[in-house]
Amino acid sequence: MTQSDPVSKPLNRLQGNLGVTSIVLMVVAAAAPLTVVSSNVPLAIALGNGVGAPYGFILAAVVLFLFSVGFVAMSPRVTNSGAFFSYVRLGLGQRLGNATAAIALIAYTCIQCAVWGFLGVATNTLIEGYTGFGLPWWVYSFAYILITGVLGYRHIELSAKVLGVALGAEILIVVIYDVVVFAVSSPASLGGAIGPVGTLVDPGIATAITFAIAGFMGFEATVVFRDEAKNPEKTLPRATYISVFLIGGFYAASGFALIAATGASEAVATATRSVNGDGTMLTDSMEMYLGTIAGHVVQILLVTSLFACALSFHNVIARYVLVMSQDGLLPTRLGRIHEKHQSPYAASLTQSISAGALLLILVIFGLHPIAQIYGFMAGVAAIGFLLLMTLTSISVWFYFRSQPHRRGGSAFKLQVIPAIAVIALVVTLVVVLSKFTLVTGLSVPTSAVIAAVPALAGVIGLFVMTRTNPSDATDSNIPSKGRR
């Protein structure tokens, strides 16, 4: 390319001025609040521990908070936007960092593909319901991949504006629904929805936690956008903690409200019908409490919620590819940054093409977009996410133990809490794996193969991926915003 070409300048760092609000929008949008409340919560109720499913989301939030303490404390030492794999490389070494990078790419590719399937179905259902004209779900999915590719090519601020509009609308209507349900429900209904603490020991809590963990994916986006953050040393911790409590509280409160609205005795049956395609638990309940118009609005917002989720995952994956390319784990041409838009345009285009190719393969094999594409891949993504957080927490513990002069904080915060986080994450992973057949609905051997996909990706990253560039992610070698 010539020097006059607007995309010819291979800048080393992304640039931007994102504040706490913009980064929280990215993280919460990736969590897709309306999508999780309308799909993951009913799935957790139907396949998990019934009316105790919201406790699974609370437990997941507690585990993520423990994880985030060490995650945030170490963030100033990790000066690129590679998030999980940069942490692990710094704390546990290059090869385990490579394994983490491979797991991350698989986990986020799977959850994004799951969203594409759900989004195609939701869009076709919406359009066919109003016009009577329907198309195969995958037509809409491929159209959305194209739109997302265009937005990802542009500057991240454009994406933040799109996410902000969609996110504000979906949160508002669900909050209104929650408030109305809690306000008009009888004490008995509320007690039945919130009271069954004993369901915490129900074996089905594993399934509830699985779908809860999947609902938190995108959580580390607070660090992925480090290079584009304004004053990252202050912005990132605030955005991380706000995201954890906002997402966890929203999911749990909405889950309790949904159960109270349908009645504790009918919640499992209603959720099961919803999962099987006989009505939509949230939409039907919202029409009952807020009116028919609200039900129609939710159908539209579900589509925008899914799109916002897919767009946010696209941005996260593109930045993983960017940093991996700049570090020599992927071809260097994928590390180019658009001179005008300051976006990782090469990584973004590559991600769009790969997402389209993967979806095409799944369509050719005739997999069901919800039961198989969404269900299976969300489960794989949740397992991968738990592995990523476990490796990261271990790396935080080792880093501060081996370099006490870099701590700059209490041993309790930098050693004890990360150790507790490791234990909590390992226990959670074991619990999820022990009941993974409830997620897939398949035999133990088949479910084991599906669950092993993230670990297999890690093995490939450990033994196959090699680093060719001399760049480093540590604070001593790479200049970064906030560290000049």
Side-chain angles (χ1 to χ4, degrees):
M1 292 185 182
T2 66
Q3 183 63 31
S4 61
D5 193 319
V7 298
S8 63
K9 187 177 180 181
L11 301 176
N12 288 327
R13 315 292 300 184
L14 286 170
Q15 299 177 22
N17 198 36
L18 295 174
V20 173
T21 301
S22 293
I23 296 177
V24 170
L25 283 175
M26 292 289 179
V27 178
V28 179
L34 183 59
T35 299
V36 173
V37 174
S38 64
S39 59
N40 291 41
V41 172
L43 281 165
I45 294 173
L47 304 178
N49 58 333
V51 294
Y55 288 115
F57 291 86
I58 294 176
L59 289 175
V62 171
V63 171
L64 262 71
F65 172 73
L66 291 172
F67 164 81
S68 67
V69 173
F71 185 65
V72 168
M74 190 170 167
S75 65
R77 283 81 176 173
V78 183
T79 58
N80 69 22
S81 53
F84 289 138
F85 93 83
S86 296
Y87 277 70
V88 175
R89 185 181 67 189
L90 186 57
L92 298 178
Q94 179 65 42
R95 294 185 66 182
L96 283 174
N98 296 349
T100 304
I103 294 172
L105 284 181
I106 287 296
Y108 278 98
T109 298
C110 285
I111 194 63
Q112 188 186 42
C113 193
V115 172
W116 289 134
F118 198 166
L119 180 55
V121 172
T123 302
N124 183 61
T125 300
L126 177 66
I127 294 177
E128 189 172 16
Y130 283 104
T131 67
F133 177 74
L135 290 173
W137 63 269
W138 48 264
V139 173
Y140 298 105
S141 296
F142 285 119
Y144 283 121
I145 291 177
L146 179 61
I147 295 171
T148 301
V150 173
L151 290 175
Y153 187 90
R154 302 296 299 270
H155 193 278
I156 189 64
E157 290 286 1
L158 172 61
S159 297
K161 292 174 183 177
V162 174
L163 294 175
V165 173
L167 180 63
E170 66 179 86
I171 288 181
L172 178 61
I173 194 167
V174 177
V175 168
I176 292 174
Y177 167 77
D178 291 349
V179 171
V180 170
V181 170
F182 287 133
V184 303
S185 295
S186 66
S189 296
L190 292 177
I194 301 176
V197 181
T199 56
L200 284 169
V201 297
D202 188 298
I205 190 67
T207 302
I209 293 175
T210 300
F211 288 113
I213 292 294
F216 275 96
M217 288 199 66
F219 164 75
E220 89 282 13
T222 53
V223 175
V224 169
F225 296 113
R226 158 171 283 277
D227 292 341
E228 295 148 286
K230 175 175 59 179
N231 193 4
E233 274 67 35
K234 293 183 179 180
T235 299
L236 298 183
R238 292 172 184 172
T240 302
Y241 293 133
I242 290 173
S243 297
V244 170
F245 290 120
L246 183 62
I247 294 171
F250 186 86
Y251 289 164
S254 298
F256 286 129
L258 195 57
I259 293 170
T262 56
S265 61
E266 297 294 329
V268 174
T270 303
T272 301
R273 289 194 296 270
S274 178
V275 170
N276 292 332
D278 183 11
T280 304
M281 190 176 186
L282 178 63
T283 302
D284 295 344
S285 177
M286 195 164 286
E287 287 185 358
M288 181 183 302
Y289 279 83
L290 301 182
T292 303
I293 294 178
H296 293 312
V297 170
V298 168
Q299 290 180 354
I300 296 172
L301 289 178
L302 178 59
V303 173
T304 63
S305 174
L306 285 162
F307 176 70
C309 176
L311 178 59
S312 188
F313 282 139
H314 175 93
N315 288 332
V316 171
I317 296 172
R319 280 150 183 80
Y320 265 112
V321 173
L322 171 74
V323 176
M324 291 172 67
S325 171
Q326 293 178 340
D327 196 50
L329 299 178
L330 293 174
T332 55
R333 63 179 177 272
L334 299 182
R336 287 187 172 272
I337 297 174
H338 200 289
E339 184 175 0
K340 176 181 178 181
H341 300 305
Q342 288 295 291
S343 63
Y345 79 97
S348 179
L349 290 174
T350 302
Q351 204 281 312
S352 296
I353 294 172
S354 62
L358 175 59
L359 184 63
L360 179 61
I361 293 173
L362 298 175
V363 170
I364 291 175
F365 276 92
L367 298 184
H368 189 278
I370 303 299
Q372 294 174 310
I373 294 179
Y374 185 83
F376 294 179
M377 291 203 166
V380 171
I383 292 173
F385 194 47
L386 285 169
L387 284 173
L388 290 171
M389 290 191 293
T390 301
L391 287 169
T392 301
S393 290
I394 293 173
S395 72
V396 170
W397 189 87
F398 269 103
Y399 177 80
F400 287 115
R401 179 178 175 82
S402 62
Q403 303 189 53
H405 63 285
R406 292 181 177 267
R407 288 179 183 176
S410 68
F412 180 78
K413 177 181 178 181
L414 303 179
Q415 288 280 273
V416 177
I417 293 183
I420 294 174
V422 171
I423 296 172
L425 286 163
V426 170
V427 170
T428 302
L429 181 59
V430 171
V431 170
V432 168
L433 290 172
S434 69
K435 299 295 179 181
F436 197 64
T437 54
L438 295 177
V439 175
T440 64
L442 301 174
S443 65
V444 172
T446 303
S447 297
V449 170
I450 295 174
V453 169
L456 178 61
V459 172
I460 293 174
L462 183 66
F463 294 106
V464 177
M465 296 177 70
T466 58
R467 184 180 178 193
T468 59
N469 285 352
S471 62
D472 200 339
T474 65
D475 54 350
S476 61
N477 293 317
I478 293 184
S480 178
K481 277 190 67 176
R483 295 194 59 80
R484 292 186 178 129

